[in-house]
Amino acid sequence: EVQVVESGGGLIQPGGSLRLSCAASGDTFSTMFISWVRQAPGKGLEWVAIIYPDDRTFHADAVKGRFSISRDNSKNTVFLQMDALRVEDTAVYYCGGADRPNRGDYWGQGTQVTVSS
Amino acid sequence: EIVLTQSPATLSLFPGERASLSCRASQSVGIYLVWYQKKPGQAPRLLFYETSNRATGIPARFSASGSGTDFTLTISSLEPEDFAVYYCQQGSHWPTFGQGTKVEIK
């Protein structure tokens, strides 16, 4: 089974930047679709970004132009670069992988991002 | 954006009872409907993909069905570990989630 571990969260002021990392085990990482999903306090789940095995990327309208997903297959790692952070970006960010797009078969425990002055 | 509406928002049941959760889409998502279980402080857990394909390790008391715009997740006899929030998610277009159904102990 694929294991996923997120890191990089923390407390950041509005307008600041953070880079989240998602490390996944297994030989099939390079063929996986990897997504970031977030859950704000007391709210439901929201899809943030997805990267395909061929490096195509898609981002939610709420983060387009501010967040960028990328991958390094040599390190079995996906990144979420978050710039121009807003208070409303405060959430637990989960990384998920699957062998099909728009789905998450394996998820990490999440990393907390708090945007506050 | 495809909107998923889950009902009821909360389901209060005793262990051993049957739970039936509904997920309705604002437009057809074909078979691309996924169900997850979510507990506080834990990662989402995949239950079903493509409407009714059970994920690895999911007990047989869980079942799922539907097509197009109407989908159902059924738990035939609730076990203590089943009390959680359940989300549906469509993968037909940009992925979206329903708002969740909380299954709580009565």
Side-chain angles (χ1 to χ4, degrees):
Chain A
E1 183 175 310
V2 176
Q3 304 292 324
V4 176
V5 179
E6 304 95 336
S7 61
L11 174 63
I12 188 77
Q13 292 188 337
S17 297
L18 275 178
R19 188 169 91 152
L20 305 184
S21 298
C22 169
S25 64
D27 298 332
T28 60
F29 178 83
S30 63
T31 63
M32 290 175 65
F33 297 80
I34 305 292
S35 298
W36 287 96
V37 164
R38 66 186 179 184
Q39 185 170 33
K43 303 290 186 181
L45 297 166
E46 178 186 20
W47 214 281
V48 174
I50 184 170
I51 187 165
Y52 283 29
D54 63 4
D55 287 340
R56 280 183 291 163
T57 62
F58 301 90
H59 300 80
D61 287 344
V63 307
K64 207 169 286 184
R66 300 188 299 121
F67 290 13
S68 178
I69 189 172
S70 61
R71 70 194 299 159
D72 184 341
N73 289 336
S74 69
K75 297 180 180 178
N76 277 19
T77 301
V78 164
F79 304 99
L80 185 67
Q81 177 66 41
M82 305 189 297
D83 298 322
L85 281 160
R86 304 169 180 168
V87 171
E88 54 265 35
D89 295 320
T90 295
V92 178
Y93 284 73
Y94 296 97
C95 176
D99 58 3
R100 293 288 186 271
N102 299 347
R103 195 175 93 195
D105 297 353
Y106 317 104
W107 296 92
Q109 293 295 315
T111 186
Q112 175 72 49
V113 172
T114 302
V115 186
S116 174
S117 55
Chain B
E1 175 179 299
I2 295 178
V3 176
L4 298 180
T5 302
Q6 291 188 242
S7 60
T10 304
L11 205 48
S12 298
L13 296 168
F14 291 106
E17 287 196 296
R18 181 185 185 89
S20 184
L21 289 64
S22 173
C23 176
R24 180 162 292 177
S26 59
Q27 64 187 78
S28 177
V29 299
I31 63 167
Y32 298 105
L33 197 285
V34 182
W35 289 97
Y36 302 95
Q37 179 191 69
K38 179 77 173 63
K39 295 179 180 179
Q42 294 188 18
R45 180 191 185 193
L46 176 69
L47 299 176
F48 291 90
Y49 60 94
E50 292 175 0
T51 300
S52 57
N53 291 295
R54 188 179 289 108
T56 303
I58 303 305
R61 63 180 180 275
F62 290 87
S63 62
S65 62
S67 67
T69 60
D70 288 294
F71 300 88
T72 301
L73 174 69
T74 302
I75 310 170
S76 60
S77 177
L78 284 163
E79 295 288 337
E81 62 268 27
D82 299 337
F83 291 92
V85 179
Y86 293 83
Y87 291 93
C88 60
Q89 175 246 309
Q90 62 79 20
S92 174
H93 295 76
W94 176 254
T96 52
F97 291 91
Q99 80 280 17
T101 290
K102 182 179 183 180
V103 179
E104 64 177 24
I105 300 176
K106 193 170 184 178

